[in-house]
Amino acid sequence: MGAVRSRFDIPVMADISTLEEGVTAAANGVDILAPTLAGYTSYSRQLVGPGPDLQLTKELVRLGVPVIAEGRLQTPQDVRAAFAAGVHAVVVGSMITRPHLITRHFLTGVPKPNTPIGAIDIGGTKIAAAISAGVDWVDRERAPTPADADAVVNTAIDLLQRLIHRNRIGSLAAIGVSTGGGVDHEGRIASATDIMPGFAGTDLRTAVADAFGVPVGVMNDGHAAALAEAEIGAGSGYATVLGLTIGTGLGGGIVHHGELYRGGSGLAGSVGHLIIEPGGRPCSCGGTGCAEAYVSGGGLLQTYNEAA
């Protein structure tokens, strides 16, 4: 670090994740310390909660090197606490570079609308519909998944319409749809296996939006489940969440810092068709040895029967 300063004649700042790293950096003559990486390295993740690591910040200040507080600072209270700990400056990074976090933070203090929201889940075995008001379910309905792609869409719409009529709901604020298969950014089914024959190419978002006249979001079911767990479920508070869904098929999703990672294909985290047994069991995608052929409802049943 001293060599960097002497060669380029510039200050050196060390981003660290633990006190030990801070001590080492200070001993090597850095000009500035910042606990930016606290909670983001594999060995510091268990040491840090959802907010800034103020205890680490205080310990770094005691080393006598100027400290810039950065990492997980989300509220004015966090900033005041950092300055009270003795830092020279504060950087609120992700709140600037990812403005949706600001919106999410303020929305937690906004009263939830009373207008109900519709939900549809399309799977290989069943289709479910529900209406929610806030975090409470108003009513639910389900039906077997038809073999015909058009019938799948019509069944989903009919289920939700039935709930609206039964509960005498005037209108919905929006509708969220989770579905098996790959979903493009326009809400169309980009790909599907033989579990749902003919489903690929279906413009699901447009069909549901035309039926109800409200905003509609469509997402792969594994992605939706992972995002829900990361937001309000078992993954809440963790930087990175991998969710897996086991049903008629095998799906999943990756959420990093509150954002769903889709990848170039839009199917990142959808692990069902990774080959785990070359030349193994036939899969609904037409291949053999896919994870879904072993880790799914039917796959697990087959494994049980083979072992019996």
Side-chain angles (χ1 to χ4, degrees), residues 1 28 64 95 113 140 165 222 297:
M1 296 179 186
N28 280 275
M95 298 294 279
R140 310 183 195 190
H165 295 152

Side-chain angles (χ1 to χ4, degrees), residues 282-297:
C283 181
S284 61
C285 69
T288 58
C290 296
E292 184 173 290
Y294 298 86
V295 189
S296 63

Side-chain angles (χ1 to χ4, degrees), residues 108-239:
T108 60
V110 177
K112 300 297 186 294
N114 293 324
T115 307
I117 294 174
I120 296 172
D121 177 57
I122 300 174
T125 302
K126 69 178 185 302
I127 299 174
I131 293 176
S132 71
V135 296
D136 299 317
W137 293 111
V138 175
D139 200 356
R140 310 183 195 190
E141 189 83 28
R142 65 170 59 184
T145 302
D148 178 72
D150 290 336
V152 168
V153 177
N154 292 333
T155 298
I157 291 172
D158 289 344
L159 286 175
L160 191 53
Q161 286 177 334
R162 192 181 309 168
L163 293 176
I164 291 173
H165 295 152
R166 187 162 71 207
N167 292 277
R168 299 179 180 180
I169 293 172
S171 63
L172 299 172
I175 298 171
V177 182
S178 64
T179 177
V183 180
D184 67 18
H185 291 287
E186 300 299 322
R188 293 185 293 260
I189 305 302
S191 60
T193 68
D194 288 344
I195 291 177
M196 303 177 74
F199 200 42
T202 300
D203 191 347
L204 191 55
R205 189 199 67 80
T206 297
V208 177
D210 287 348
F212 295 95
V214 299
V216 175
V218 181
M219 183 178 290
N220 168 267
D221 51 5
H223 285 178
L227 190 58
E229 288 296 334
E231 289 284 339
I232 59 174
S236 179
Y238 290 89

Side-chain angles (χ1 to χ4, degrees), residues 20-47:
E20 290 75 15
E21 291 177 351
V23 170
T24 300
N28 280 275
V30 299
D31 298 282
I32 302 169
L33 288 171
T36 312
L37 300 178
Y40 292 103
T41 58
S42 59
Y43 47 86
S44 69
R45 192 166 297 130
Q46 70 275 13
L47 305 175

